[in-house]
Amino acid sequence: MKIAIVGSGFSGAVLAHKLSRGMDCSITVFDERHHVAGNCHTERDVATGIMEHKYGPHIFHTSNRKVWDFVNEFTKFHPCVNRVKAVTPRGLFTLPINLLTINQFFGKSLRPAEAKVFIETIGDKSITNPQSFEDQALRFVGREMYENFFLGYTIKQWGVHPRDLPASILQRLPIRFNYDDNYYNSIYQGIPEEGYTAIVERLLKHPRVELKLNTKFERAGVSDFDHVFFTGPIDEFYGHVYGRLGYRTVYFERHEDIGDYLGNPVINYTAQEVPYTRVAEHKHFTPWENHDKTLVFFERSKFTEAGDIPYYPMRREPDKAMLEQYLTLARQESKVSFIGRLATYRYLDMHAVIAEALDFSEAWLSAKSSGQKTPVFPASI
Ligand code: UDP
C-alpha cells in the first residue's frame, strides 16, 4: 500500500511508526515546515545552547500508562513538575488556585475543609449549569478571583470575552484545597532529555518511511496514494469552502540575558493592561543542564489570519456549526482519514494526541486486515 501522512507532529509520527510496523507499505510523510514535530518542535538555540521550545513551552503529562510507556521507549524523560506563578493586579500568587493562593489572596489561614466552605460562599450559586467560561469561574471561585486570575488573561489569550468561551477551557485547570501547586493532575510528568523533536525523529525512522519536509500536500495529490492520513487543518484540506475555522495563534518576543531572569520556568501575567500573557525561561525546563546565559520569551496571542500558525481552536458557536459542515464532507471520504488537533479542531494536549493516534492506528490496521471499511476519524468524533 502507498500511504501518505500529512503532518509530522505527534499524530503523524505515531501513525507512521505504527503503520510502518503493522503492514507492508510505503509511507510518505509530508510537512510544509522545514522541521518535524509540529508545534512541539525543540531545537538548541545557537547563541545560548539552551533547548528551545520553538512554539512555546511543552511539558509532557499524562495519567495514561500506555502513553507514558510508549513515549519512554524513545527517550529518557526527566521528572518535571510544572509550578506556575501568576502576577495579578493584586500581587503575585501561585497557580493553579490552591490553598496557598486562597489563603494569601484573601489574607486568611484556612485549613482544607474551611477553605472549601469559604469558596462555596464566594461562588455564585445561582449559576447551576455553567456553560460559559465566565459562568464556570463565577460559580467555582467567585468574582474577585475570576477578575484577578482569569478575566484579563483570557481576553488577551482568546481575544473574546470569557462569556463567549466554553466552560471546558477553564475546566482544564484544577482548583485544590491543599498546598499542591502542580499545574497538572496527571500521574506521570516529565521533560524529554533530548527534546520532543528527537522523539519524533525516532518515531519516523523506518525503511518504509520517507520524509518530505518543506513540501505542502495538495488535495489533488490524494489520487497518488492508496490512503491519506491528514493531520493539518480540516478547513484547509477542503480549500475553506465553508470558511475559516477560528484559531488563536501565539507569537514570541525573544530576550537573551545572563543568569536567572524569572526564577521559574513560567510566569503568567493576568492583567489585561500587560501586553503579554506569560513569560517563559526555557533553561528552567532542563535543570540537569548548566547554562550561564538565559533565553526568555514573552508570549502574546492574536487571531489567526492566512499564513499564521494555528494553535488554539476557538470553538465558538459559528465555528462549531462550520466544523459540522466539514465533518459531513469528510465522512464521505473512503481513502482519507483525519486525526489530531487541527484535523479534528479540538484543544488536545500531547498525551491525548498520542493516545488517540495509537488507538486509531490499531483500529485502522485491524479494519484493513479484516477487509472492513477503514475509519475516517478517531472513535471520539
Ligand atoms: N487561564 C487564565 N489565567 C491563567 C492561566 C490560564 O485565565 O493564569 C485560562 C486561559 O483562558 C487559558 C485557560 O485558562 O486559555 C487554560 O489554561 P492552560 O494553562 O491550560 O492553557 P495552555 O497552557 O494550553 O495555553
Side-chain angles (χ1 to χ4, degrees), residues 50-88:
I50 292 164
M51 186 61 89
E52 181 183 341
H53 298 215
K54 292 298 277 189
Y55 302 89
H58 285 69
I59 298 110
F60 197 89
H61 63 99
T62 182
S63 292
N64 183 329
R65 183 65 197 255
K66 184 176 162 185
V67 168
W68 183 240
D69 287 344
F70 180 75
V71 293
N72 275 273
E73 280 177 40
F74 301 95
T75 192
K76 176 177 160 60
F77 273 77
H78 285 264
C80 164
V81 175
N82 193 23
R83 300 187 202 282
V84 177
K85 304 283 173 264
V87 175
T88 78

Side-chain angles (χ1 to χ4, degrees), residues 86 95 133 149-151 153-154 157-158 165 169-170 172-173 183-184 268 270 278 299 312 341 347 349:
L95 280 183
F133 184 115
F149 288 96
F150 302 124
L151 179 62
Y153 186 101
T154 299
Q157 167 72 8
W158 293 94
L165 289 167
I169 295 179
L170 184 58
R172 291 171 56 83
L173 305 184
Y183 203 67
Y184 305 118
N268 291 1
T270 63
R278 55 187 168 188
E299 180 174 330
Y312 294 93
R341 185 162 169 146
Y347 189 174
D349 291 332

Side-chain angles (χ1 to χ4, degrees), residues 4 33 78-79 83-84 97 117 133 137 190 209 259 262 265 287 290 304 317:
R33 301 191 206 176
H78 285 264
R83 300 187 202 282
V84 177
I97 291 178
V117 173
F133 184 115
V209 178
L262 284 180
N290 281 315
T304 308
E317 289 309 318

